[in-house]
Amino acid sequence: MITPEALYKKRREFMKLGAGALISSSLLSSKLLALNFTSDTNTKKLKISDEELATNYVNFYEFSTNKKRAVALAQNFNTQNWKIELSGEIEKPLSLSMEDILKFPLEEKIYRFRCVETWSMVVPWVGFELRRLIDMAKPTSEAKFVKFTTLLDKKQFPDQASFFPVVEYPYVEGLRMDEAMHPLTLLAVGMYKKALKPQNGAPIRLVVPWKYGFKSIKSIVKIEFVKEQPKSTWEKYAPNEYGFYANVNPEVAHPRWSQAHERALGDFFTQPTLMFNGYEKEVSSLYAGMDLRKNY
Ligand code: MTE
C-alpha cells in the first residue's frame, strides 16, 4: 500500500519537475504507485530488458506512429475514473473500476515480448491472469471469443482526431476463449514493479507473450464475450499481413520481411526467434491440428 511518506515524496518529485498539471493524474494513480504483488522467481532465467529502453520504445498509434512522439504525447493521458465494461455472453453485464480490478491478487510475470516489427524485449509485468476476471464474469456456453477495445477519446488521442487516422479506431483485439483462459494470458497494470506508464497502456492492458505484440492491446475499456471471431484492428488494416492468431512463428515470414530473427532492445546482434516466442511447451496444444501457415 502507499504510505504517506511515499505519497509526499512522489508529490515533491512532480513539484520539482514543475509538472503541476500532472499532479492530479499522478495522485489519481497513487493507489497504483506502490503495487502489492508476488514476485516472479525467473525460473527461465530470462535477461530482463533495460527499463528505460523497454518503457520508451513504444507502439501506441492513438498518440503517434513515431515512437518518441508517442511517449511525449502520452504524458498527460488522464486515466481518472477508468472503467472496464464487461458484456456480451455473460450472466450479467458488469462495470468495474480500477479499485475493483486491483482486488485481484497481483503477480509479477517475467515474459518475453516479440513485436511483429522484429524487435523484442523481456519485461517484468505486474498483473493477474485474465482467466480470473473471466471466471468472475461467468460467460455462458455461447461465449467463444473475447473481444477487447481501447478507449475512444478524440480529446486525448491525437490520431483519433486526425482527418486521416493511421488505423480504424477504437483499437480492437480478440482471443479465442481457450487462449484467453490460458494461465500465461495476463491483464497487466504495471511493469518494472510500478504502475503502467501512459505510453505502455495505462491503466490496464493485455499481455499475450506467445503472440506478436500487437495482440497486447493497451488502455482497455471494454471486454466483450462473443460468439463470432472478432475482426482485430490490424487484420482489418491488412489481412494478408496480420492474422487473427498472430502467433510468433519464425517459419512464417511477414509478406515484407522474415520473422526468423529478432533484435532484443539494446543488443547489437540479432538472435533466432523461437516458436511461440519460447512458450511452445505451454501453448502448442491450443493449436493441435491447425495449419499454422494458414492460420497465421
Ligand atoms: N494498443 C493500442 N491501443 N494501440 C496501439 O497502437 N500497439 C500494439 C500493442 N498494443 C498498440 C496497442 C503494438 S504494435 C505493440 S508491439 C505493443 O502494443 C507495444 O507495447 P509497448 O509499447 O508497451 O512496448
Side-chain angles (χ1 to χ4, degrees), residues 58-62 115 121 150 171 200 205 213-214 216 218:
V58 307
N59 278 328
F60 204 158
Y61 280 19
E62 286 86 338
C115 178
M121 56 186 178
T150 295
Y171 195 104
N200 301 118
R205 72 175 293 172
F214 65 85
S216 293
K218 295 175 168 182

Side-chain angles (χ1 to χ4, degrees), residues 114-130:
R114 168 64 154 82
C115 178
V116 74
E117 296 164 345
T118 75
W119 54 269
S120 67
M121 56 186 178
V122 172
V123 174
W125 302 102
V126 178
F128 58 94
E129 292 168 8
L130 171 64

Side-chain angles (χ1 to χ4, degrees), residues 172-187:
V172 166
E173 259 309 335
L175 293 173
R176 218 169 56 189
M177 191 54 112
D178 57 347
E179 298 177 318
M181 289 295 287
H182 195 281
L184 283 174
T185 306
L186 197 70
L187 275 175

